[in-house]
Amino acid sequence: MHGIILGFHRSKKLFSTLVLLFINHHQHQSHEIIHPFFRENYFNGRSINNPKFMAPRTHLTDLGSIANVDLTELGAGKEGWLDNPNLLCALDTNSLAIANRYYILVLEWSNASGTASFRVKIRPNLSPIEAEYVSALEWLVFDDIRVIAIGTSCGYFLIYSLGGDLIHKQLVYPGRILRLRVRGTKRDITEDTSSFEEVCVVIAGIIARFDGSDLQKVLQKWYQETQNQFWNSIKDPEEESENSFTRIPYQVWNVNGYGSCTDAAITGVMSPPLLELQSSDRYYCAVTIGVDAAISAFRLSEDRSRSFVGAILSKVMPVTFSTIASFSKLVWRSQQPAKKPEPKPQPFARALPLTCLKDHPRKGEKLTLSPSGTLAAITDSLGRIMLLDTRALVVVRLWKGYRDASCLFVERLVNKESIGSHERVKSNYCLCLAIHAPRKGIVEIWQMRTGPRILTIPCPKGSKILQPTYRFGSSTVSESSYKPLEVFFLNGDSGQLSRLN
């Protein structure tokens, strides 16, 4: 035994080999002889010589568990059930929405008990003829109003209350909605950026934008009307057509200039072209990723057309059509109720291609935006992660060896003196990128933009990293009550939800 101990200090490789021999020799005699450190690391296939040795468990705080809720119809209990591409998850404060192709389950838990409970099960009225299904899921949070936003494979945008009532239904564009992106940009202390809040709807080759203020007006009006009405009757599904709801204004652009896109995002407001007529219209910068072009950028205009003919047609045609329609009703008036016309997609606004990155066979897979929209993390089919400066449209950093990875931006406390204070200030935090590498079974935290890797955390197989949705109105919160970005871990095997400290 003394000879084995002396051999520990000569070589790390010899140390690992001798420890394994010692464990194998004494394992059949008594498990109490083995030190817990050796038992935990070697029996789990880890090595203490590994430079990427796992961080201690104190970096995670357990918040709650969904293990007590029966989710077998969603696939819970099977290995890797959270990796199902048809399973969608959206996180909010003490709430989790999980959807498969045809319904949504909303779970809630309290900070005291930590155990989740079933809140509501939502079954949208989907078209069986078109084989319509739920393809996107997100929360919409306006102060005390919390609702569920759903995108369907037929291009419909639905909003449901937590009571399961349909609040709004609107056709964005015929096609599968790939993602609902809820975000808002704030005025940074050091940067003069305009603040705006939006819901972005991403369809293959199409991107649409709803303004947050327009959505808030519709939700507030619906809640005021429901408070004044006391009825418990069930609505007829035929009344849940798009024409029975107030249409929310939005803009839609065709971003197929460099090929069909698989994901897209509006990064913020940008300046108009130098040689173009100046106006009060806004211009946005959009970044897309796809198969033909790994990264593409567009300048989006709110104005549909600048031509003189287009301006005349936009003014004359609606009046002419209204006059003809009124005259036809007087001539061919019928006692039979008129059928409601089918919803038609809105015409595209102008999208000007700026630049693209074509590097066959590289294909863009996932896109994640920073809070201010100035950085974007893009994963591709070659196992690389690109950090894009969305203002200069330049890749400023590259990671290799991260296949099937997913990324989320997170903020880390750098001013340790402010831990004891009750006020949280934005300047005390620095921006980091959390990279979930499922094939490695870890989550790495890298400091932006060119900082080092500051943390490596074990992430069990079948886990998912989540982030609460953006809360509308948070851009007006005082600087002293700043709430940093956080990352949460959902373990599919144990059902445990944890927060990264």
Side-chain angles (χ1 to χ4, degrees), residues 74-142:
L74 294 177
K78 299 179 182 179
E79 184 178 358
W81 67 282
L82 284 179
D83 298 330
N84 183 359
N86 295 323
L87 195 68
L88 308 172
C89 297
L91 182 66
D92 189 38
T93 306
N94 294 346
S95 300
L96 177 67
I98 307 178
N100 66 0
R101 296 171 68 91
Y102 304 110
Y103 58 87
I104 303 97
L105 295 179
V106 179
L107 309 178
E108 291 184 345
W109 61 88
S110 62
N111 295 328
S113 62
T115 56
S117 60
F118 177 76
R119 171 67 184 265
V120 67
K121 184 175 184 179
I122 301 174
R123 287 187 177 272
N125 184 24
L126 305 175
S127 172
I129 300 176
E130 301 291 339
E132 189 178 13
Y133 60 90
V134 176
S135 58
L137 177 70
E138 193 54 272
W139 287 88
L140 297 181
V141 183
F142 297 87

Side-chain angles (χ1 to χ4, degrees), residues 125 166-169 231 233-245 340:
N125 184 24
L166 179 61
I167 299 177
H168 184 74
K169 181 178 181 180
W231 50 273
S233 60
I234 300 177
K235 289 186 178 180
D236 188 355
E238 295 182 355
E239 296 180 358
E240 294 185 354
S241 63
E242 181 188 4
N243 296 316
S244 60
F245 298 96
K340 295 180 179 180

